[in-house]
Amino acid sequence: MDAQATRLKTTAQIWVGGQEFESREFDLPELTGSQAIAQIDLATVCGSDAHTVTGRRTGACPSILGHEAVGTLVAIGPNGARDALGRDLSIGDRVIWSVTVSCGACDRCLAGRSAKCRTLLKTGHEALDGPWGISGGYASHIHLPEGITLVAVPDELSDAAAAPAACATATVMAVLEAAGDVSGQRVLVSGAGMLGLVACAAARQRGAASVVASDINPGRLELARAFGATDTLQAPGKPQPSSFDVAVDLSGAQPALAAALDALDVGGRLVVAGSVSPGPALCVDPERVVRFLLGITGVHNYEPRHLQQAIAFLMATRDLYDWDSLVAAPRPARELAHLMAPPQGRILRNSITFNSN
């Protein structure tokens, strides 16, 4: 273990309820096993954190929020640290880390559903006084426990592109895996936020015949065209019946879900990933599901392979799409409360750094 590990401290923006944050300093733990500590270079503000502070979804409080970040390893436990491919990591390596921490031994982990581990911990979701208090990205440093997935970030990939990979990009990799082979398929993407743009670009990269993005925001639809959509649909307009082979809902809006389900052709698949907070129930016609051989699948979080796939996808498309343009220039951490407001225009993520005065 690095001799400095036990002397490291972190300065964090602590969510104390409502839309209030307080700056506090903490000692970082002494590392054991294959744990590590990363200095956070950039953290982006996911919409789900904004939902937490506005009360749309519940969250541990007080806590360190933030689950999209990229950082540099500054301390490693005595057993060393390895990335998702099993390669040794060293102090100074730039990495991203998974939203979930799993045990790897329970029935769900062994069945390939580590995102639903029986003892699951989640980055940026844990109580400050819990077993993993220094778990969020809105801090100068983060404690990375055993069971978290680390992925090395190539030098060619910017912090702005890498940070959202830990949530948005990796989740889309899981969504498209659940959707099956989209090569030659007609794909509908409901919701043209960060996840929706990644889904458009990834579906095109995987050979989709067409990709239609649907959203209520005309500006988002224009942006979707720049990130792979072949056509757009202004919601609440509905697509034609039987016009899609695959639909992915990243909006969480009940009308969009209903429209997507109605638009599926025979053998169509609907993947639902945006419904992560309470909302109206979806009415499903079971006869149509049977006669049209439809499949409906839910995706929440992702598996370690999807985080590695996210970085590979960003590397493969970095010359096709301007991923950096979707993230605002970093602001000082003390401005975090203000950055919970949705960004405007072509910006889909605000970002913070503790390396600025």
Side-chain angles (χ1 to χ4, degrees):
M1 181 178 66
D2 177 68
Q4 299 297 315
T6 57
R7 296 198 294 271
L8 285 173
K9 295 180 181 293
T10 186
T11 302
Q13 287 290 319
I14 307 300
W15 178 54
V16 293
Q19 300 187 47
E20 299 295 322
F21 291 83
E22 294 180 359
S23 179
R24 301 182 194 172
E25 185 178 80
F26 302 90
D27 289 326
L28 286 158
E30 182 174 351
L31 301 181
T32 61
S34 58
Q35 297 177 357
I37 290 170
Q39 174 181 294
I40 295 176
D41 301 320
L42 184 79
T44 45
V45 180
C46 178
S48 61
D49 278 341
H51 294 161
T52 297
V53 302
T54 58
R56 183 173 171 183
R57 56 184 288 173
T58 59
C61 184
S63 64
I64 305 173
L65 302 176
H67 52 271
E68 291 185 345
V70 58
T72 302
L73 294 177
V74 295
I76 295 174
N79 293 348
R82 294 170 181 81
D83 68 7
L85 298 176
R87 300 174 300 192
D88 289 335
L89 292 168
S90 302
I91 290 174
D93 285 345
R94 198 161 59 111
V95 295
I96 58 172
W97 45 91
S98 57
V99 169
T100 59
V101 177
S102 57
C103 73
C106 70
D107 57 333
R108 293 177 181 175
C109 286
L110 294 176
R113 300 187 184 95
S114 69
K116 294 298 170 184
C117 173
R118 296 284 183 183
T119 58
L120 187 72
L121 297 174
K122 293 191 67 175
T123 304
H125 292 72
E126 300 301 319
L128 192 61
D129 60 356
W132 185 30
I134 304 174
S135 69
Y138 302 149
S140 63
H141 297 76
I142 186 172
H143 174 217
L144 301 170
E146 295 186 11
I148 202 166
T149 300
L150 303 178
V151 171
V153 178
D155 292 340
E156 300 90 337
L157 205 60
S158 70
D159 288 342
C167 178
T169 319
T171 298
V172 170
M173 299 298 106
V175 165
L176 289 184
E177 180 179 291
D181 185 5
V182 299
S183 177
Q185 302 280 284
R186 300 163 294 170
V187 178
L188 172 66
V189 176
S190 297
M194 180 67 84
L195 279 84
L197 295 194
V198 173
C200 289
R204 285 296 301 278
Q205 185 206 34
R206 298 183 184 199
S210 62
V211 179
V212 176
S214 175
D215 201 282
I216 62 174
N217 185 331
R220 293 285 180 88
L221 295 179
E222 180 182 353
L223 196 54
R225 287 182 178 274
F227 281 83
T230 58
D231 202 354
T232 58
L233 176 66
Q234 178 79 51
K238 295 183 179 181
Q240 293 295 315
S242 304
S243 54
F244 292 97
D245 306 299
V246 173
V248 297
D249 182 77
L250 304 166
S251 71
Q254 193 268 1
L257 276 165
L261 189 57
D262 289 344
L264 289 176
D265 206 345
V266 170
R269 292 99 67 195
L270 171 64
V271 183
V272 183
S275 300
V276 292
S277 57
L282 177 66
C283 181
V284 176
D285 178 358
E287 181 187 13
R288 188 170 187 277
V289 172
V290 170
R291 292 189 181 278
F292 275 66
L293 311 176
L294 302 181
I296 305 174
T297 303
V299 169
H300 187 221
N301 300 323
Y302 53 83
E303 295 300 312
R305 63 183 177 275
H306 299 128
L307 190 61
Q308 184 67 52
Q309 289 169 12
I311 290 297
F313 165 74
L314 292 170
M315 283 291 293
T317 59
R318 70 188 189 280
D319 295 329
L320 295 174
Y321 304 114
D322 188 1
W323 297 112
D324 290 10
S325 70
L326 301 178
V327 178
R331 301 298 305 164
R334 64 178 179 274
E335 298 181 17
L336 179 59
H338 301 291
L339 298 176
M340 288 290 152
Q344 301 298 314
R346 296 174 65 89
I347 298 296
L348 300 183
R349 287 289 193 270
N350 288 321
S351 71
I352 70 165
T353 178
F354 281 77
N355 298 323
S356 172
N357 296 319

